[in-house]
Amino acid sequence: MSSPDTLPDASGVLSWFPVELPPQQRVLGLFVAKWAIGALRPLVQLRVPDLLADGSRTARDLAEETGAHGDSLYRVLRCAAAIGVLRELPGGLFALTPAGEGLRSGTPGSAREMFLFASDPMMWRPYEDVLHSVRTGAPSFEHVFGTSFFAYLEENPAGAELFDRAMVQNHYPGTDRIFEQYDFGRFPRIADVGGGRGQFLAEVLSRFPQCTGVLCDQPQVVAQAREEFERRGVAGRASVAETDFFTGLPSGCDAYFVKHTLHNWDDERAGTILRRVREAVGDDAGARLLIVDMLLTGPGEWDLGKLTDIEMMVALGGRERSRDEWNRLAAAAGFEPANDPAPGDLALLEYRPVPAS
């Protein structure tokens, strides 16, 4: 079997699949992702990775434990082993690989809830009609479900709970790089705009004990934030402001960071959030807007953000942005760039307020 590097015209995701196909058929390798996700989802739903935590077990044993159909379970186990999530051993045994460990529940670094969220029908079905978004510019989620994504979560508590669990686990590796490279200690008081349960703010405060912070989000979203602050040992330096970031934000903070939030919205709605930040900053020339989001690369360059941009388009009506796009959005709200991060990954973009004329 040829390696991807020896195949002509294989680049980006097409180079990931070691399938010997002529260049004009390389796209067929993308089917692998569908088949793999389809096989893994029932295994995660049945908590098979948890059942394998203490050692290898047979497909028959796992079927009895989970109440599954024996032969069908074996076939998805075999598929999971073929893609490297499990190991198939002699004697019909299956064991976890390091990748499979990441699908266990309640373990450090687990991606279980993120996987279940990404493969849930509410995130899968919009891809059945991406053409609707391409033709209309509107999210196909609304076309499929008859309501917006966030309205759907309000109407479906189970979906909302899954979303919340996934966001708690949403620790992208680029976040660690941001913490290592950026000095949040410059800002005595920090506002986390749209920060959910406050995990990011709690991490900032735990790393920079000289800082205090305020979590700004809607009441139902921040309901469990105090528990998170207690768990992280920062409750004495963290407060909660129940607010709608489209209508207003608390003033008096030295930095307002917005992490993985603006990409949920189109330019009009994202611009509204930034204008609320500018209003909160007021005349404080030393205050800063800190945007933590994907920063897209130039034309033709590989970039994960160009893939997640499709998710933003079809599910939320939002978008990932290039530096020029971020700068235009910030300028319209009254900010100018104060740093120059590299594109192609999660980035922290720092902006300073432009004095009112």
Side-chain angles (χ1 to χ4, degrees):
M1 181 176 291
S2 300
S3 69
D5 293 336
T6 66
L7 292 170
D9 298 324
S11 61
V13 176
L14 295 182
S15 68
W16 294 0
F17 303 104
V19 179
E20 189 168 353
L21 292 170
Q24 66 271 27
Q25 294 184 355
R26 287 288 297 175
V27 293
L28 299 179
L30 299 177
F31 295 175
V32 171
K34 173 187 174 184
W35 299 331
I37 292 171
L40 288 179
R41 182 169 171 81
L43 294 180
V44 177
Q45 290 174 306
L46 291 172
R47 297 186 179 273
V48 168
D50 291 344
L51 296 176
L52 294 175
D54 294 328
S56 60
R57 299 176 68 172
T58 66
R60 177 178 294 181
D61 183 28
L62 291 169
E64 292 177 356
E65 181 97 11
T66 61
H69 181 265
D71 182 60
S72 298
L73 180 62
Y74 167 73
R75 292 163 68 182
V76 294
L77 289 166
R78 179 176 60 185
C79 177
I83 62 176
V85 175
L86 301 179
R87 285 187 297 127
E88 187 170 7
L89 306 171
L93 293 167
F94 288 89
L96 287 175
T97 65
E101 291 281 351
L103 293 173
R104 291 174 54 194
S105 59
T107 59
S110 173
R112 180 182 190 274
E113 306 305 326
M114 290 180 63
F115 176 85
L116 287 174
F117 171 66
S119 60
D120 190 85
M122 67 176 163
M123 299 306 294
W124 195 266
R125 287 186 57 199
Y127 282 87
E128 297 173 2
D129 198 4
V130 178
L131 182 59
H132 175 80
S133 292
V134 173
R135 281 178 166 162
T136 67
S140 60
F141 187 99
E142 297 180 6
H143 180 63
V144 171
F145 289 100
T147 188
S148 70
F149 175 78
F150 290 111
Y152 177 90
L153 294 184
E154 291 180 5
E155 298 164 3
N156 294 269
E161 183 180 352
L162 176 58
F163 174 75
D164 288 343
R165 295 199 309 267
M167 292 306 99
V168 169
Q169 285 188 346
N170 188 16
H171 185 85
Y172 186 70
T175 305
D176 292 328
R177 177 178 45 77
I178 287 172
F179 280 126
E180 292 165 2
Q181 296 177 357
Y182 194 82
D183 181 17
F184 288 96
R186 295 162 48 197
F187 309 109
R189 186 159 179 78
I190 300 171
D192 184 355
V193 179
R197 296 185 180 183
Q199 307 96 280
F200 192 80
L201 179 59
E203 182 68 20
V204 170
L205 298 183
S206 67
R207 290 174 180 251
F208 299 91
Q210 70 271 39
C211 298
T212 63
V214 53
L215 178 66
C216 311
D217 215 324
Q218 297 186 45
Q220 72 274 15
V221 178
V222 300
Q224 300 183 48
R226 291 182 177 84
E227 179 181 334
E228 176 69 9
F229 294 150
E230 290 283 356
R231 186 181 71 82
R232 297 299 302 274
V234 299
R237 293 183 288 122
S239 59
V240 172
E242 297 180 352
T243 184
D244 181 346
F245 50 48
F246 288 116
T247 60
L249 292 166
S251 60
C253 295
D254 303 287
Y256 291 79
F257 67 66
V258 194
K259 176 182 179 289
H260 273 171
T261 297
L262 294 173
H263 73 164
N264 293 338
W265 307 98
D266 60 19
D267 284 353
E268 180 180 356
R269 300 284 275 170
T272 298
I273 297 171
L274 294 187
R275 287 193 296 274
R276 298 295 86 81
V277 174
R278 185 65 185 87
E279 291 167 2
V281 167
D283 297 329
D284 186 355
R288 292 293 182 265
L289 163 67
L290 309 177
I291 297 173
V292 179
D293 245 316
M294 300 299 288
L295 183 58
L296 297 182
T297 57
E301 298 180 61
W302 160 252
D303 192 337
L304 180 64
K306 294 175 182 178
L307 277 66
T308 60
D309 181 52
I310 305 305
E311 184 112 305
M312 298 303 104
M313 179 177 71
V314 303
L316 299 169
R319 64 187 306 126
E320 308 290 4
R321 297 175 172 92
S322 67
R323 186 59 200 254
D324 286 345
E325 290 171 321
W326 281 121
N327 286 351
R328 286 197 299 270
L329 195 66
F335 293 96
E336 62 183 9
N339 73 340
D340 189 23
D345 201 347
L346 194 68
L348 187 150
L349 296 94
E350 178 179 339
Y351 290 92
R352 65 173 69 92
V354 177
S357 56

